[in-house]
């Protein structure tokens, strides 16, 4: 067929016309054409038509031929089911397209051919691979460029498919040396592709690459001075890959490499300079290379500082020297927002080793210290992509974490000159540097804080908006030092006043930075902000009338953070009579499907809890609207289930509505009961349906709402427990999928709250204890259970033991040691107290159950700072009982307990 197949003229003409229309600027014409093109997939030789148009349609527009290549590439998997003559025709004809005179055709053909080689596998289509390699020797530079372009794409996307034997030989054994030779080609495009292709095999530890690594390094050094910036950029990228993957080869050459990278950071081509800067970020992030990097600090730190200065091009694009507070935002100014569900855990709001029963996000690994700031946020929209300035600041951040005082010793003399420089751009870069080192150099910086913090506050009033903006961010990085011992802290008031002033700045960028930094200050200050609430609230409310769309979203976050930080202190007339009407006005102005409703509802979730009874006048309208949104969201999802061709409905409105309902429950407690019981549609029916919603974030918020009802409005929840408890128990698993960990957390937590409220007087709850133990105990015993889940399971087991000790006590020896280890390091709080009282009740019912876990129990007990009177009495009873029971064996038993735990137990309980 490769030789015999010819297209039908009418079909060919029709397809060509459709391909042309599929690129039409008229959206309706484009959509119709694309739909008709999809219908061609039912034609067996459809791929042949596409290849024919690509390779033989020389009289057609390049765009039409390009679309043919892209359509075939996007539908390549249909070839796996195509008749073999069709496949053979495609293979026999498509390769020639890399020799096409058109650069556009060669480039898109390369993408197609790389996809086909990956689809068929090189060992099953070696002719395709060998054809491309042979084309590298063509005297035609276009053919060489087409071939290397296709091979580079194949190496980038499917390197492991090439790292194989074909016919007893490894293609890479001759391909990599050939690529190395191609780095001397007269075409800079070929040189760039060759370097990039080789580097991919360092990432997979290819034996063929390792055999040629010395030749590769030699060609990198040779290409370091290439006249083409794309080649120089690729040299920098390759050296970064080698640093990460084969530092054993690169570190011995680090002196020469470092000189080249420092020089390249000043390259006139921004992309080269950025790649050189990335090299240092890669270097700094590798803990194993600290000793190799330390001698380079003296030259590196000044180079990074220089790279943090705005360029003239940056300033021209930013247009930052204007008062633009009255200029409406463009749609492109608004970044997509991501909203998580509430997660419950032990001791809300605690830190250190304390997990959080309630946080805003649905989990996720902790980041490294130096990754807590998004350097994408310190510039405007045009620079929202990664650039040299941001990369340099991030690298300095990492260096500060890695080297602390050594980094500061190099940087400080440079900053002293720059912070008071006449050129505001140099001052601005120095302020950025101060913020970048705040985390890593905090201890050695402490003696300099009396100079640094007043200086940063002074820069909040600089005439240049960009300097005011970066001063806000940097001051936020020092928020901890501004709030330590807040009543005696001389820096707090100037920092607070300065940031409140920037919140109302006439420049939108400064407003954004000021509002974000204020939120950071609020978090650090916590309840200590209470005496200053009135001016803060007044300031934030004034911002409502000043902010455009984008900054309103940040303002909502600052208000929510304030509420979370000060808690019930917000419930004073001078605050809520100013704040709540403004929020209600925004609430009423938005439709149920407005994207801005989501961050406003998140904000209100925090404000309702803090305002407590003070929120009562606004509760009925908020409650009814949340209920309506939940109902409509569930109906839309049911419609989607019945009609899968529809787009899946957005779940964020459902999540934040459930969270806001939780906030109302916490704020009003039993006062909300009449609204819940008389609701139409039924509140509890909608909640039960939300528990079944097949999205973890929705279930997470629904289970959180169950727990809040148990705590604050149990009378409403109790009649529905028989129907809800099976759902709660079914979600508890020792090995939940990652996305369901927070669902499992909230289910375990809510069961503990329900158990406490039911108490031993509720005989109906007793039936759930054994099934719960069968689910919760394996979580404690599983070595890979997430820490938060283990802690929640331990608390709930303890609470079950407190209510039904006779049922749980026989199992004590199975989980006692793991239980003590799970909760031993948790800070004192009410949840921990109730759990330990339950655990003590188990010991009092089954003393032998603790015999193998006596030392962990002592350790966990000694870590209590201030146990409640009831718990302390139970500890006393247990230790006195053990001493009496063991008699002369008591001292040998205590000898197994390490110091200082042993001394704490003896001193507290006289044993």
């Amino acid at each position: 067929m490769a030789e015999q197949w010819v297209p039908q003229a009418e079909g060919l003409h029709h397809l060509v016309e459709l391909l042309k229309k599929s690129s039409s600027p008229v959206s309706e014409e484009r959509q119709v054409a694309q739909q008709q093109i999809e219908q061609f997939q039912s034609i067996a030789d459809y791929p042949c038509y596409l290849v024919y148009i690509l390779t033989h349609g020389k009289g057609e527009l390049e765009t039409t031929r390009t679309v043919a290549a892209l359509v075939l590439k996007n539908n390549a998997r249909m070839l796996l089911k195509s008749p073999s003559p069709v496949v053979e025709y495609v293979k026999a004809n498509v390769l020639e397209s890399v020799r096409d005179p058109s650069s556009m055709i060669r480039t898109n053909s390369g993408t197609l051919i790389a996809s086909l080689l990956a689809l068929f596998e090189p060992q099953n289509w070696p002719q395709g691979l060998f054809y491309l390699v042979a084309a590298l020797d063509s005297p035609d530079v276009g053919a060489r460029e087409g071939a290397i372009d296709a091979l580079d794409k194949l190496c980038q996307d499917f390197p492991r498919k090439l790292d194989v034997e074909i016919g007893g030989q490894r293609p890479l054994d001759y391909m990599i040396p050939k690529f190395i030779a191609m780095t001397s080609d007269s075409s800079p495009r070929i040189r760039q592709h060759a370097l990039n292709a080789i580097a991919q095999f360092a990432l997979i530890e290819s034996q063929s690459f390792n055999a040629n690594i010395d030749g590769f390094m030699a060609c990198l050094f040779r290409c370091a001075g290439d006249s083409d910036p794309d080649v120089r950029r690729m040299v920098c990228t390759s050296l970064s890959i080698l640093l990460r993957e084969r530092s054993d080869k690169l570190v011995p050459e680090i002196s020469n490499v470092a000189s080249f990278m420092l020089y390249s950071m000043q390259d006139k081509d921004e992309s080269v300079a950025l790649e050189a800067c990335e090299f240092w970020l890669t270097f700094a992030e590798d803990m194993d290379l600290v000793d190799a990097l330390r001698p380079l600090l003296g030259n590196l730190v000044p180079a990074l500082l220089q790279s943090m200065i705005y360029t003239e091009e940056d300033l021209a694009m930013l247009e930052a020297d204007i008062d633009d507070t009255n200029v409406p935002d463009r749609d492109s100014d608004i970044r997509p927002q991501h909203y998580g569900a509430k997660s419950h855990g032990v001791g809300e709001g605690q830190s250190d080793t304390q997990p959080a029963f309630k946080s805003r996000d649905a989990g996720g690994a902790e980041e490294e210290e130096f990754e807590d700031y998004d350097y994408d946020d310190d510039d405007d929209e045009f620079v929202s992509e990664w650039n040299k300035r941001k990369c340099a600041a991030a690298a300095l951040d990492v260096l500060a974490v890695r080297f602390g005082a050594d980094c500061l010793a190099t940087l400080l003399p440079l900053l002293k000159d720059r912070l008071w420089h006449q050129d505001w751009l140099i001052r601005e870069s120095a302020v950025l540097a101060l913020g970048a080192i705040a985390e890593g150099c905090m201890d050695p910086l402490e003696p300099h804080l009396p100079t640094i913090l007043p200086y940063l506050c002074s820069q909040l009033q600089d005439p240049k908006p960009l300097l005011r903006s970066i001063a806000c961010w940097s001051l936020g990085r020092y928020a901890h030092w501004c709030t330590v011992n807040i009543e005696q802290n001389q820096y707090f008031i100037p920092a607070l006043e300065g940031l409140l002033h920037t919140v109302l700045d006439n420049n939108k960028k400064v407003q954004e930075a000021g509002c974000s930094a204020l939120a950071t200050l609020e978090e650090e200050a916590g309840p200590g902000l209470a005496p200053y609430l009135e001016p803060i609230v007044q300031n934030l409310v004034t911002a409502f009338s000043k902010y455009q769309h984008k900054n309103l979203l940040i303002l909502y976050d600052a208000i929510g953070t304030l509420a979370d930080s000060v808690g019930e202190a917000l419930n004073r007339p001078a605050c809520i009579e100013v704040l709540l009407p403004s929020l209600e006005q925004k609430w009423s102005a938005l439709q149920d499907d407005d994207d801005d409703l989501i961050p406003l509802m998140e904000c209100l979730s925090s404000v309702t809890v803090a305002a407590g009874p003070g929120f009562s006048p606004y509760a009925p309208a908020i409650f009814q609207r949340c209920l309506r949104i939940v109902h409509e969201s569930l109906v839309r999802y049911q419609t989607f289930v019945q009609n899968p061709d529809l787009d899946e409905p957005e779940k964020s409105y459902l999540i934040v509505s459930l969270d806001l309902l939780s906030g109302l429950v916490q704020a009003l407690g039993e006062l909300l009961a009449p609204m819940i019981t008389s609701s139409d549609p039924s509140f509890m029916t909608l909640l039960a349906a939300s528990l079944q919603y097949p999205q973890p974030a929705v279930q997470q918020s629904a289970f959180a709402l169950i727990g809040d009802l148990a705590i604050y409005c149990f009378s409403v929840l109790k009649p529905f427990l028989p129907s809800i408890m099976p759902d709660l128990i079914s979600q508890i698993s020792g090995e939940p999928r990652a996305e369901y960990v927070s669902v499992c957390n909230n289910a375990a937590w809510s069961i503990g709250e329900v158990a406490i409220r039911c108490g031993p007087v509720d005989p109906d709850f007793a039936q759930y204890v054994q099934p719960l133990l069968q689910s919760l105990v394996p979580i404690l015993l599983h070595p890979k259970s997430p820490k938060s889940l283990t802690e929640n399971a331990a608390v709930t087991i303890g609470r079950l033991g407190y209510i039904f000790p006779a049922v749980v006590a026989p199992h004590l020896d199975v989980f006692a040691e793991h239980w003590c280890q799970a909760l031993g390091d948790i800070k004192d709080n009410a949840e921990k107290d109730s759990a330990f009282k339950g655990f003590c009740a188990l010991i009092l019912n089954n003393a032998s159950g603790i015999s193998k876990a006596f030392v962990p129990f002592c350790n966990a007990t000694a870590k209590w700072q201030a146990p409640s009177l009831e718990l302390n009495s139970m500890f006393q009873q247990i230790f006195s009982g053990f001493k009496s029971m063991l008699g002369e064996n008591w001292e040998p038993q205590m000898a197994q307990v390490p110091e200082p735990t042993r001394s704490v137990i003896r001193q507290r309980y006289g044993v």
Side-chain angles (χ1 to χ4, degrees):
M1 182 174 179
E3 297 298 330
Q4 298 175 352
W5 184 88
V6 290
Q8 293 182 1
E10 184 178 350
L12 178 63
H13 176 74
H14 183 43
L15 180 56
V16 166
E17 291 303 309
L18 288 177
L19 293 174
K20 291 178 181 178
K21 292 179 180 179
S22 70
S23 302
S24 169
V26 181
S27 60
E28 292 183 0
E29 185 177 31
R30 186 170 63 248
Q31 290 176 2
V32 170
Q34 291 170 351
Q35 291 172 358
Q36 292 183 0
I37 289 173
E38 289 181 5
Q39 297 174 4
F40 272 78
Q41 293 187 26
S42 61
I43 301 173
D45 57 352
Y46 172 47
C48 298
Y49 279 90
L50 293 173
V51 171
Y52 185 90
I53 293 170
L54 171 65
T55 58
H56 294 82
K58 301 292 172 62
E60 302 295 340
L61 295 172
E62 288 183 351
T63 52
T64 304
R65 297 170 62 200
T66 295
V67 171
L70 293 176
V71 169
L72 183 55
K73 182 255 180 186
N74 292 336
N75 296 276
R77 296 194 65 82
M78 66 182 174
L79 287 167
L80 297 178
K81 299 179 180 179
S82 295
S84 57
V86 171
V87 175
E88 290 306 313
Y89 179 87
V90 170
K91 288 181 177 180
N93 288 270
V94 74
L95 295 170
E96 278 296 319
S97 58
V98 299
R99 299 176 181 269
D100 197 276
S102 165
S103 175
M104 177 190 292
I105 298 300
R106 293 197 303 268
T107 298
N108 287 282
S109 296
T111 303
L112 169 61
I113 293 168
S115 298
L116 294 177
L117 270 166
L119 178 71
F120 296 126
E121 303 281 345
Q123 58 264 46
N124 297 324
W125 189 24
Q127 299 89 345
L129 182 62
F130 298 153
Y131 180 94
L132 295 176
V133 174
L136 295 178
D137 291 322
S138 172
D140 177 14
V141 67
R144 297 201 305 276
E145 286 183 355
I148 194 66
D149 180 86
L151 288 167
D152 185 15
K153 290 184 174 77
L154 185 62
C155 295
Q156 286 184 66
D157 296 336
F158 311 103
R160 295 188 187 279
K161 291 181 181 291
L162 293 171
D163 196 25
V164 294
E165 283 193 5
I166 299 178
Q169 292 184 320
R170 301 183 65 83
L172 289 183
D173 285 346
Y174 56 86
M175 287 174 62
I176 290 179
K178 184 62 180 176
F179 291 158
I180 291 174
M182 298 296 288
T183 63
S184 298
D185 195 277
S186 60
S187 166
R189 185 172 180 180
I190 291 175
R191 299 197 297 273
Q192 175 201 349
H193 281 307
L195 287 173
N196 193 48
I198 302 167
Q200 307 310 311
F201 300 104
L203 298 172
I204 65 169
E205 300 180 354
S206 164
Q207 68 180 56
S208 300
F209 172 83
N210 290 336
N212 290 278
I213 189 170
D214 291 334
F216 180 48
M217 289 182 63
C219 85
L220 288 177
F221 293 137
R222 186 184 70 249
C223 293
D226 199 283
S227 60
D228 186 82
D230 287 333
V231 176
R232 297 198 303 276
R233 175 177 55 81
M234 199 60 242
V235 171
C236 293
T237 301
S238 299
L239 288 171
S240 294
I241 292 173
L242 284 178
L243 183 70
R244 188 166 56 246
E245 304 296 334
R246 290 298 307 269
S247 59
D248 59 309
K249 297 293 290 187
L250 200 65
V251 168
E253 305 287 341
I254 201 62
S255 177
N256 292 330
V257 173
S259 296
F260 168 70
M261 287 298 184
L262 291 170
Y263 176 78
S264 296
M265 287 173 68
Q266 307 307 317
D267 199 289
K268 293 179 181 180
D269 188 281
E270 175 75 13
S271 67
V272 178
L274 173 58
E275 285 298 326
C277 210
E278 287 274 13
F279 173 86
W280 296 111
L281 184 56
T282 299
F283 207 157
E285 286 175 340
D286 194 330
M287 286 286 292
D288 295 333
L289 300 178
V290 167
D291 290 339
L293 182 56
R294 190 183 303 273
L296 305 174
L297 288 179
N299 292 322
L300 174 57
V301 170
L304 291 174
L305 195 55
Q306 185 65 27
S307 296
M308 290 158 63
I309 301 174
Y310 277 119
T311 65
E312 292 183 4
E313 291 78 8
D314 291 341
L315 296 174
M317 295 294 292
L318 282 169
E319 299 179 349
D321 269 346
I322 58 174
D323 291 343
D324 57 355
T325 189
N326 294 320
V327 178
D329 292 333
R330 300 160 299 185
D331 289 342
S332 59
D333 293 336
I334 314 301
R335 294 185 183 181
Q337 303 294 310
H338 303 283
Y339 301 97
K342 292 203 305 186
S343 179
H344 281 264
V346 184
E348 175 183 350
Q350 302 288 345
S351 56
D352 300 329
T353 56
Q354 189 86 0
F357 253 151
K358 185 176 292 181
S359 64
R360 288 293 174 192
D361 297 316
E366 294 182 2
E367 295 181 333
E368 296 254 7
E369 293 175 85
F370 47 81
E371 291 178 332
D372 67 346
Y373 172 66
D374 178 6
Y375 286 90
D376 278 1
D377 286 342
D378 75 7
D379 287 12
D380 221 61
E381 277 59 57
F382 102 94
V383 223
S384 60
E385 73 274 6
W386 192 239
N387 63 15
K388 183 175 73 167
R389 167 185 161 88
K390 296 174 186 178
C391 185
L396 185 59
D397 190 343
V398 184
L399 290 177
V401 172
R402 292 284 180 256
F403 298 104
D406 289 344
C407 178
L408 184 62
T410 304
L411 182 63
L412 205 54
L414 302 171
L415 289 181
K416 287 180 178 178
D417 292 334
R418 289 171 174 253
L419 289 170
W420 282 272
H421 202 280
Q422 290 184 345
D423 187 339
W424 75 270
L425 287 170
I426 294 178
R427 291 204 312 279
E428 194 276 345
S429 67
V431 172
L432 172 58
L434 273 181
I437 65 171
E439 188 86 23
C441 293
M442 185 57 76
D443 289 339
L445 270 174
E446 186 171 0
H448 304 282
L449 292 179
T451 301
I452 291 173
L453 295 178
Y455 172 83
L456 289 175
C457 290
S458 72
Q459 298 304 298
L460 297 175
Q461 303 173 32
D462 192 273
K464 292 294 184 180
L466 286 176
L467 220 166
R468 298 198 300 274
S469 172
I470 202 62
C472 289
W473 172 73
S474 291
L475 187 60
R477 296 273 284 183
Y478 291 88
H480 173 73
W481 284 106
C482 293
T483 55
V484 173
N485 298 321
I486 197 168
E487 294 178 0
Q488 292 82 36
N489 194 310
Q490 60 181 312
Y491 310 121
F492 174 71
I493 296 295
L496 177 61
E497 290 179 345
L499 290 176
L500 288 176
H501 184 74
T502 61
V503 165
L504 299 180
D505 200 278
N506 287 325
N507 180 273
K508 290 193 290 188
K509 185 175 179 58
V510 180
Q511 294 171 0
E512 177 184 0
C515 214
S516 297
L518 178 64
T520 303
L521 193 73
E522 291 169 352
E523 286 183 319
E524 290 290 344
L529 272 183
Y532 312 96
L533 267 177
E534 293 175 26
I536 296 174
V537 169
Q538 185 62 57
N539 198 275
L540 293 174
V541 168
T542 302
F544 273 121
S545 62
K546 195 163 190 170
Y547 279 16
Q548 298 298 327
H549 186 187
K550 175 184 176 183
N551 285 349
L552 270 178
L553 307 183
I554 300 168
L555 180 61
Y556 291 147
D557 181 67
I559 292 171
T561 302
L562 178 67
D564 290 336
S565 300
V566 301
E568 62 185 16
L570 188 66
N571 186 22
R572 60 180 76 165
C575 292
I576 61 175
E577 290 175 5
V578 174
L579 178 61
L580 296 186
S582 297
L583 289 171
E584 196 277 335
Q585 184 180 10
K586 293 293 182 184
W587 169 267
S588 300
L590 297 173
Q591 298 297 314
D592 287 357
D593 59 352
D594 194 309
D595 288 344
D596 287 359
L597 188 64
I598 297 173
L600 177 56
M601 293 178 83
E602 285 211 322
C603 170
L604 282 169
S605 296
S606 297
V607 171
T608 52
V609 176
F615 200 80
S616 297
Y618 303 91
I622 301 285
F623 178 84
Q624 288 297 333
R625 189 173 186 182
C626 286
L627 214 60
R628 182 174 74 239
I629 293 173
V630 170
H631 177 252
E632 291 173 352
S633 297
L634 293 172
V635 169
R636 279 195 296 270
Y637 185 77
Q638 188 60 39
T639 303
F640 165 72
V641 171
Q642 296 169 354
N643 300 276
D645 291 338
L646 298 174
D647 291 335
E648 184 171 355
E650 173 59 56
K651 63 181 181 295
S652 296
Y653 295 98
L654 174 56
I655 294 169
V656 293
S657 295
L658 291 170
D659 290 347
L660 184 46
L661 288 169
S662 279
L664 288 171
V665 169
Q666 294 174 65
L668 302 180
E670 290 291 344
L671 295 175
L672 200 65
M675 273 186 259
I676 293 176
T677 54
S678 63
S679 60
D680 184 22
S682 166
F683 175 96
M684 292 305 301
T685 300
L686 295 178
L687 178 54
S690 299
L691 294 175
Q692 302 293 332
Y693 198 100
Q695 289 286 342
V698 176
Q699 293 181 4
Q700 183 180 330
S701 287
F703 284 120
L705 181 50
I706 293 288
D708 287 331
L709 285 168
I711 298 171
Y712 301 101
C713 199
F714 188 60
S715 64
V716 169
L717 180 65
K718 192 173 187 305
F720 293 88
L721 286 178
S723 60
I724 289 175
M725 282 301 296
D727 287 327
L728 290 169
I729 296 172
S730 69
Q731 289 298 332
I732 299 175
S733 167
E735 295 185 80
R737 299 203 307 270
E739 63 270 27
Y740 279 90
V741 168
S742 291
V743 178
C744 189
N745 255 332
N746 285 2
W749 167 79
S750 59
I751 284 174
E753 297 297 343
V754 168
I756 288 291
R757 271 71 193 178
C758 286
V761 296
D762 187 345
D764 292 335
F765 192 83
Q767 63 182 303
Y768 303 120
V769 177
Q770 287 291 357
L772 283 170
L773 290 176
Q774 292 171 7
S775 297
L776 292 167
V777 171
I779 293 175
L780 277 186
L781 304 182
H782 199 292
K784 294 185 178 180
S785 288
K787 186 173 183 288
S788 61
L789 184 54
T790 301
E791 291 160 353
N792 273 318
V795 167
T796 300
I797 290 171
R799 289 177 160 185
L800 292 174
Y802 187 60
I803 300 166
F804 300 101
V807 180
V808 181
H811 307 281
L812 181 59
D813 64 321
V814 176
F815 62 78
E817 181 178 357
H818 292 83
W819 192 97
C820 293
Q821 291 170 347
L823 294 186
D825 290 328
I826 304 303
K827 285 185 176 180
D828 297 3
N829 60 66
E831 289 88 358
K832 181 180 177 182
D833 181 83
S834 64
F836 265 82
K837 285 189 289 193
F839 192 74
C840 289
L842 298 180
I843 297 174
L844 294 172
N845 273 265
N846 179 16
S848 63
I850 198 70
S851 59
K852 297 178 181 178
F854 182 75
V855 173
F857 176 66
C858 290
N859 288 332
T861 302
K863 288 177 181 177
W864 272 92
Q865 301 299 309
S868 64
L869 291 176
E870 181 184 356
L871 178 59
N872 206 48
S873 175
M874 296 178 84
F875 285 149
Q876 179 71 66
Q877 184 180 356
I878 288 171
F879 285 115
S880 297
F882 271 124
K883 181 176 181 181
S884 175
M885 180 177 67
L886 292 174
E888 62 183 16
N889 292 324
W890 172 248
E891 288 304 322
Q893 179 76 17
M894 285 299 289
Q896 299 176 28
V897 180
E899 292 289 1
T901 298
R902 184 167 63 243
S903 296
V904 172
I905 298 297
R906 288 189 187 280
Q907 183 177 356
R908 280 189 190 171
Y909 305 110
V911 293

